[in-house]
Amino acid sequence: MTNSELFFTKAYGFQNRRAEITSEYEARMEAIATAKGSEFYQTESEKAVKKRDQALKDLKKEYADSINITLEAMQKTNNKRGIAAPTEEELRITQALKLRDSVTVEELDRVANALSHSEICLAVVQEIAHANGIFGHNYLARLDSGEMPVQTVNAHIKALAKATQDFLEHDTRRSARLAANYHAAHYGNFENEPPLAKRKMFETKESCYLEFLGIGGKDLKSFCNAVDE
């Protein structure tokens, strides 16, 4: 099984088992709802919460390490990729650019278009842009080799790791939690507030990466080619 498939399989398994634990807890709370206010309700609700929390703790312990190992394998595979050597013409253009005391965004755009087949030359363009105080331009995205640059893939893996941490801790949408925190900070908490919106359940590999990274189609294919053995 490839690294990208293994990540999906692990995330999918965790998602479904967590949903089962949560559903069991919610069903139990609904079953005893009519006894709310009684000692029986207090005792049984505490048992249900304790059972749910322990099950979720055990589930995270079971999956977290294997998912992190998969992310590390992705990065290791990506960093082993070679970089095609630039042509003589690409080298001349790059060297000429490095001799300039200052450059404009328009010049960098034209140079990047001329170097679109060389990842290493585009990386130099990116460095020169930053050295000249030019930010907000991803020149590596101009790469037209059919592959995703190593740096871009590593950035995706870093984002995937961050999204995974949030995924393992919460079955609710991050945007919903942020909105609730903002509301609480500015207006306070109210009784009978609606529950936070749950994450959208994914069923396929592509929908999984769309949820975690927001990429699909050709970009997902390029990412998977870079992280899979």
Side-chain angles (χ1 to χ4, degrees):
M1 184 178 292
T2 64
N3 290 328
S4 62
E5 290 171 343
L6 186 58
F7 177 86
F8 161 65
T9 300
K10 291 291 184 181
Y12 183 69
F14 179 90
Q15 168 195 253
N16 292 346
R17 287 181 59 184
R18 175 167 61 186
E20 291 173 0
I21 293 169
T22 303
S23 294
E24 181 182 347
Y25 164 75
E26 291 173 348
R28 179 56 182 159
M29 294 302 291
E30 184 177 352
I32 63 174
T34 55
K36 187 174 290 188
S38 67
E39 184 177 344
F40 169 79
Y41 179 86
Q42 181 69 23
T43 301
E44 291 302 309
S45 61
E46 289 177 358
K47 285 182 181 179
V49 169
K50 185 176 180 180
K51 181 179 180 181
R52 178 201 63 185
D53 290 349
Q54 186 61 52
L56 290 175
K57 182 179 178 180
D58 293 342
L59 184 66
K60 282 186 284 188
K61 184 177 180 180
E62 178 183 348
Y63 276 84
D65 286 345
S66 60
I67 289 178
N68 288 333
I69 289 171
T70 303
L71 291 170
E72 291 172 2
M74 285 182 171
Q75 188 168 47
K76 183 177 180 180
T77 301
N78 177 54
N79 288 333
K80 286 195 302 184
R81 289 195 292 149
I83 298 179
T87 65
E88 289 296 327
E89 181 180 359
E90 289 167 340
L91 280 175
R92 285 196 296 270
I93 295 173
T94 305
Q95 289 297 329
L97 183 65
K98 292 172 71 174
L99 293 174
R100 295 286 303 278
D101 291 330
S102 63
V103 292
T104 65
V105 172
E106 291 75 16
E107 289 173 321
L108 290 176
D109 284 341
R110 293 201 300 272
V111 170
N113 288 335
L115 301 175
S116 62
H117 294 290
S118 174
E119 179 179 345
I120 194 167
C121 289
L122 286 175
V124 173
V125 173
Q126 192 75 63
E127 290 175 359
I128 292 173
H130 289 172
N132 282 269
I134 299 172
F135 299 94
H137 296 266
N138 183 9
Y139 293 106
L140 281 167
R142 306 284 185 90
L143 187 64
D144 191 26
S145 66
E147 297 182 353
M148 186 175 284
V150 171
Q151 289 177 257
T152 302
V153 174
N154 279 335
H156 279 320
I157 295 172
K158 184 177 180 180
L160 187 59
K162 184 176 180 180
T164 298
Q165 288 179 345
D166 190 76
F167 169 75
L168 292 175
E169 292 296 329
H170 307 281
D171 66 349
T172 51
R173 295 179 184 175
R174 185 171 182 270
S175 58
R177 298 196 307 274
L178 291 175
N181 290 338
Y182 177 87
H183 187 279
H186 289 79
Y187 306 106
N189 292 314
F190 300 97
E191 292 185 6
N192 301 320
E193 289 188 359
L196 295 175
K198 297 281 190 179
R199 292 177 181 274
K200 184 178 180 180
M201 300 280 282
F202 51 82
E203 296 290 334
T204 65
K205 179 179 176 180
E206 181 156 6
S207 61
C208 171
Y209 283 96
L210 278 172
E211 172 70 17
F212 281 83
L213 282 179
I215 62 172
K218 292 181 179 179
D219 285 342
L220 177 57
K221 184 177 180 181
S222 295
F223 174 78
C224 292
N225 287 341
V227 302
D228 291 339
E229 292 285 1

